[in-house]
Amino acid sequence: MSSKMALSEKLFQTALVAFISLMCAAMLYPFIHVLSVSFSSYEESLRPGIHLYPRGFSLDAYKRTFASGDIFIAFGNSIFRTVVGTVLSVFAMALGAYPLSKKYLPHRTFYTMFFVFTMFFSGGIIPSYLLIKSLGLMDSRWVLILPTLFSTFTMFIMRNFFMSIPTELEESARIDGANDVRILLTIIMPLSKPILATVALWTAVSHWNAWFDAMLYISDHYKMVLQLYLRKLIIENQDQVMQDIMLHSTGEAPLTPETVKAAVLMIATVPIVIVYPFLQKYFAKGIMVGSLKG
């Protein structure tokens, strides 16, 4: 094999790099545009066209957004939902994935098909709403966590990863007197950091971005999540929410609704983006091993 690439290979790699670069630019542009508008002054935010950097740098949009107070309530509720929901979901799915990863589990095929059935068939919104109401979870923070505690697809990814762990480790632990619970907590889960981090990232992003269930089940203003607050700001009662924000900072420079929207969008986006670098090193390994092992 020649050490030098053929001309066709060079052209292909060049075209591939150019295509990926264009895709990255197309994905980054909305984020950069919103970030620039959120830091722009009143006059510059009214300027049509592309905003690649802030002009007339101003923090007024963020000051007025935080001054309203509602965003702190929504932010705290989203953090509670994301942290508690992620921890409980990862643990619950691990409890389901570990026994299904063992070939000696009685009726293993039946249990597997039982879980698979739930991936394709569900009761729908109305039965789910009636069930939530009958359980007394309406207008409770737990209604945002318990119904989405278990993801069958994600559990199977975790199960496949558990199957890749050598069984000799468990056998030696059993000889020392360890039971299944201790093996799971002290051997399997410490060795499964890649898949646990991957599942935690998926679950955290899902909880952070969720708003539809909060709109259905939550009516208490003090239990509203950040994404629902953002939706109300942009779609529902836009004028009233904007007026509430503006009234908390009279006498300052004027702001456009677009600037305030951009500021709230950045406040809702940045926290979950910060999590990615800490879990990225586990992500690729976790998803590859979890998807290949059958």
Side-chain angles (χ1 to χ4, degrees), residues 7-283:
L7 179 61
S8 59
E9 293 178 346
K10 292 182 179 179
L11 292 175
F12 175 76
Q13 289 194 1
T14 301
L16 185 62
V17 170
F19 175 75
I20 294 176
S21 300
L22 289 174
M23 291 295 295
C24 291
M27 294 177 184
L28 284 175
Y29 165 68
F31 183 85
I32 296 174
H33 173 80
V34 173
L35 179 64
S36 301
V37 171
S38 70
F39 285 112
S40 296
S41 62
Y42 174 78
E43 293 78 9
E44 291 298 330
S45 63
L46 293 175
R47 181 177 59 85
I50 299 175
H51 293 74
L52 295 179
Y53 58 90
R55 295 186 178 182
F57 185 84
S58 173
L59 295 174
D60 288 340
Y62 290 93
K63 291 179 181 178
R64 299 189 190 185
T65 301
F66 285 122
S68 66
D70 289 341
I71 194 163
F72 288 104
I73 298 174
F75 198 86
N77 291 331
S78 289
I79 291 178
F80 173 83
R81 172 181 185 167
T82 302
V83 174
V84 177
T86 300
V87 172
L88 293 180
S89 291
V90 171
F91 185 70
M93 286 185 284
L95 292 179
Y98 178 66
L100 288 179
S101 67
K102 304 305 170 189
K103 295 182 179 180
Y104 56 79
L105 176 70
H107 311 293
R108 178 171 176 259
T109 302
F110 169 78
Y111 293 128
T112 301
M113 296 306 299
F114 180 82
F115 280 108
V116 170
F117 181 84
T118 64
M119 296 176 62
F120 300 99
F121 300 95
S122 63
I125 294 178
I126 296 177
S128 298
Y129 183 88
L130 295 176
L131 175 63
I132 294 299
K133 187 175 181 180
S134 65
L135 292 174
L137 292 176
M138 294 294 294
D139 218 20
S140 169
R141 288 185 176 89
W142 292 106
V143 76
L144 307 178
I145 297 175
L146 295 181
T148 58
L149 192 66
F150 201 91
S151 170
T152 304
F153 173 79
T154 308
M155 184 273 292
F156 277 118
I157 296 292
M158 190 179 294
R159 183 208 66 160
N160 294 343
F161 189 96
F162 288 168
M163 292 175 65
S164 67
I165 299 177
T167 57
E168 291 77 9
L169 295 175
E170 299 182 41
E171 293 174 356
S172 61
R174 292 185 190 280
I175 294 175
D176 293 335
N179 55 23
D180 290 322
V181 176
R182 185 171 182 180
I183 291 174
L184 174 62
L185 297 179
T186 61
I187 296 178
I188 301 301
M189 296 189 74
L191 293 175
S192 305
K193 289 181 180 179
I195 194 62
L196 294 179
T198 302
V199 170
L201 181 61
W202 287 349
T203 308
V205 172
S206 177
H207 275 295
W208 186 264
N209 291 332
W211 59 269
F212 186 68
D213 52 355
M215 184 182 68
L216 287 178
Y217 306 129
I218 298 295
S219 58
D220 189 349
H221 173 77
Y222 293 98
K223 297 176 182 177
M224 179 174 57
V225 295
L226 184 60
Q227 301 300 332
L228 189 57
Y229 175 80
L230 179 61
R231 182 178 184 275
K232 288 180 178 294
L233 180 66
I234 296 178
I235 301 177
E236 295 181 355
N237 302 323
Q238 176 177 327
D239 296 335
Q240 182 61 42
V241 176
M242 284 294 179
Q243 184 178 4
D244 293 341
I245 293 176
M246 299 301 183
L247 286 176
H248 284 83
S249 51
T250 57
E252 299 181 10
L255 288 175
T256 62
E258 286 71 21
T259 307
V260 179
K261 291 178 189 177
V264 178
L265 278 170
M266 294 309 303
I267 293 170
T269 303
V270 169
I272 201 66
V273 172
I274 294 176
V275 177
Y276 275 92
F278 297 99
L279 300 179
Q280 184 179 8
K281 62 180 180 179
Y282 299 111
F283 187 79

